[in-house]
């Protein structure tokens, strides 16, 4: 993905790697051809890139999600394959010092979005030492009541060190950059809305995993915590991006990562940016 510009705000993709998941488990009964049209289908598998986003505005450096971390963890034990752990090197290659990131936003607290919140090793420390780590209060209410091992490793240390900041689901992160509630994949899942100078985009998190879901928003993966609610969130998201002409930026979308929903007759169709 090339740098996206919305008024005075820029969005850059930074990759932590790429997961491969069995398509039939991710979207049981769905038409693989409707997905393959937009890329990301390899044999029986669907690609799920682990893309994080650096959002920069006047004086602000915000990272949306932190990838899966140094290993695949529980997803590896579920039989998913892929490469991961690339984020620190990718930030170095992009000349981004982690100490300059002032805010880390978690769209939700699944392991493939919070892996590099902290350093590896026995005593994890915040990888972004000067950042506040923004998490939806609804999301934390759910996960803090569990014994999830990834949350224990990647979020509890932030709570202890005072880096964790719980916020409303529509929190304004910075002027023009705000959370957009899209619950259903997890109870407090949020997307990130960027609006400036009459231009805008949405970083979807896992409100959508592939552009085919923007054409058919009822396609909810069975591992969404509430597939009916996630479909309702996705429908509302699709209606909004279509009505306002917003760019859709998907953390698991195949390259080139960002596109638009365009209506052709009665059909919503996906168009990659630059295509
Ligand atoms: Zn994910």
């Amino acid at each position: 993905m090339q740098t996206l510009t919305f008024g005075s705000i820029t969005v850059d993709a930074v990759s932590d790697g790429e997961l491969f998941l069995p398509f039939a488990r991710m979207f049981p009964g769905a038409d693989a051809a409707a997905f393959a049209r937009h890329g990301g289908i390899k044999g029986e598998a669907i690609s799920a890139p682990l893309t994080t986003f650096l959002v920069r505005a006047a004086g602000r450096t915000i990272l949306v999600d932190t990838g899966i971390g140094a290993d695949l963890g529980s997803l590896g034990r579920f039989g998913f394959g892929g490469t991961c752990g690339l984020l620190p090197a990718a930030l170095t290659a992009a000349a981004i010092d982690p100490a300059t990131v002032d805010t880390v936003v978690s769209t939700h607290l699944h392991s493939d979005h919070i892996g590099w919140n902290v350093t590896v090793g026995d005593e994890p420390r915040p990888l972004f030492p000067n950042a506040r780590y923004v998490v939806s209060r609804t999301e934390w209410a759910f996960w803090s009541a569990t014994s999830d091992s990834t949350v224990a490793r990647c979020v509890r240390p932030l709570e202890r060190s005072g880096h964790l900041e719980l916020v409303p689901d529509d929190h304004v992160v910075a002027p023009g950059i705000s959370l957009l509630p899209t619950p259903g994949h997890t109870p407090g899942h949020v997307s990130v809305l960027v609006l400036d100078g009459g231009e805008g985009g949405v970083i979807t998190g896992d409100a959508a995993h592939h552009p085919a879901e923007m054409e058919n928003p009822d396609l909810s993966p069975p591992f969404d915590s509430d597939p009916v609610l996630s479909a309702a969130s996705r429908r509302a998201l699709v209606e909004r991006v279509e009505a306002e002409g917003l760019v859709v930026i998907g953390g698991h979308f195949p390259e080139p990562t960002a596109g638009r929903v365009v209506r052709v007759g009665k059909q919503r169709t996906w168009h990659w940016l630059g295509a």
Side-chain angles (χ1 to χ4, degrees), residues 165-182:
E165 185 174 329
L166 303 180
V167 299
D169 295 4
D170 58 354
H171 175 66
V172 177
V173 180
I177 304 166
S178 56
L179 306 186
L180 179 68
T182 42

Side-chain angles (χ1 to χ4, degrees), residues 124-210:
R125 287 172 289 104
L127 185 63
F128 304 94
N130 299 315
R132 62 189 184 118
Y133 285 70
V134 168
V135 171
S136 141
R137 194 169 283 131
T138 313
E139 186 73 356
W140 185 240
F142 175 78
W143 290 102
S144 62
T146 72
S147 55
D148 183 87
S149 61
T150 311
V151 168
R153 187 175 69 78
C154 299
V155 188
R156 297 281 188 193
L158 306 173
E159 186 185 32
R160 289 193 289 273
S161 66
H163 285 77
L164 182 65
E165 185 174 329
L166 303 180
V167 299
D169 295 4
D170 58 354
H171 175 66
V172 177
V173 180
I177 304 166
S178 56
L179 306 186
L180 179 68
T182 42
H185 180 66
T186 59
H189 185 283
V190 294
S191 301
V192 178
L193 182 63
V194 177
L195 287 172
D196 192 44
E199 300 171 287
V202 180
I203 298 169
T204 65
D206 285 5
H209 293 78
H210 187 279

